Amino acid sequence: MERYVAFDIGDKRIGVAISDPFNTYALPSQTYFRKGFEADVAALAEIAKQKGATAIICGLPVNFDGSAAIQTEKTQRFIEALKTHTNIPVICEDERFTTKMAHETLISEGMRREKRKNYVDALAAANILDGYLAKINKKGV
């Protein structure tokens, strides 16, 4: 049985989401607060292992037009390091608008700004994973 874990990799925080048992939708799981590059890579590899992931989906930030941004390069370096710390396949997924959607959801629920930073990244990771799940479920992969 497949089990997906998604990461929304930011400079200060990393959102974590997991797929439901039937891989039809994503569940926000936690927000990991970054401690340092090597420690973060090791921690995410461990989180994926603990969650029983058969694949890791990492959001890849790109510009509106799909071109690479400064954040794209930082995230790609992190993803390459993650691949060396785990034998779980790592897949990149376009993350355009996922954080914006997460902010809008939390605002619409009336969550105060100070509290949102604890949830927005996990919700963005869930949006990334939902996009990936919709793609694979549509293809019947």
Side-chain angles (χ1 to χ4, degrees):
M1 183 67 156
E2 295 291 318
R3 184 66 181 251
Y4 301 98
V5 170
F7 297 130
D8 177 39
I9 303 161
D11 288 334
K12 295 180 181 166
R13 299 178 306 271
I14 298 172
V16 181
I18 58 170
S19 60
D20 74 293
F22 305 104
N23 295 317
T24 52
Y25 59 90
L27 304 159
S29 176
Q30 68 190 83
T31 299
Y32 171 83
F33 290 83
R34 295 192 67 166
K35 296 162 182 62
F37 190 86
E38 286 300 319
D40 299 341
V41 170
L44 290 195
E46 186 57 31
I47 288 169
K49 184 178 164 190
Q50 287 174 352
K51 303 277 186 200
T54 56
I56 298 168
I57 313 304
C58 290
L60 192 62
V62 291
N63 290 320
F64 182 73
D65 64 1
S67 63
I70 293 168
Q71 199 63 34
T72 310
E73 294 169 27
K74 287 184 187 177
T75 303
Q76 284 175 320
R77 271 197 312 275
F78 191 93
I79 290 168
E80 289 308 310
L82 182 60
K83 287 178 180 178
T84 67
H85 277 72
T86 182
N87 57 2
I88 302 168
V90 179
I91 300 162
C92 293
E93 179 71 13
D94 186 341
E95 69 165 45
R96 276 179 281 187
F97 311 115
T98 56
T99 300
K100 185 179 188 316
M101 287 171 22
H103 274 289
E104 288 172 358
T105 299
L106 295 174
I107 289 167
S108 72
E109 291 177 0
M111 188 175 286
R112 294 202 336 262
R113 181 186 299 264
E114 317 83 68
K115 209 172 175 190
R116 280 198 306 263
K117 73 175 179 227
N118 294 320
Y119 298 98
V120 71
D121 300 292
L123 193 53
N127 290 339
I128 292 165
L129 185 52
D130 273 332
Y132 179 78
L133 292 172
K135 240 181 6 191
I136 64 165
N137 289 332
K138 187 177 180 183
K139 287 181 188 169
V141 175

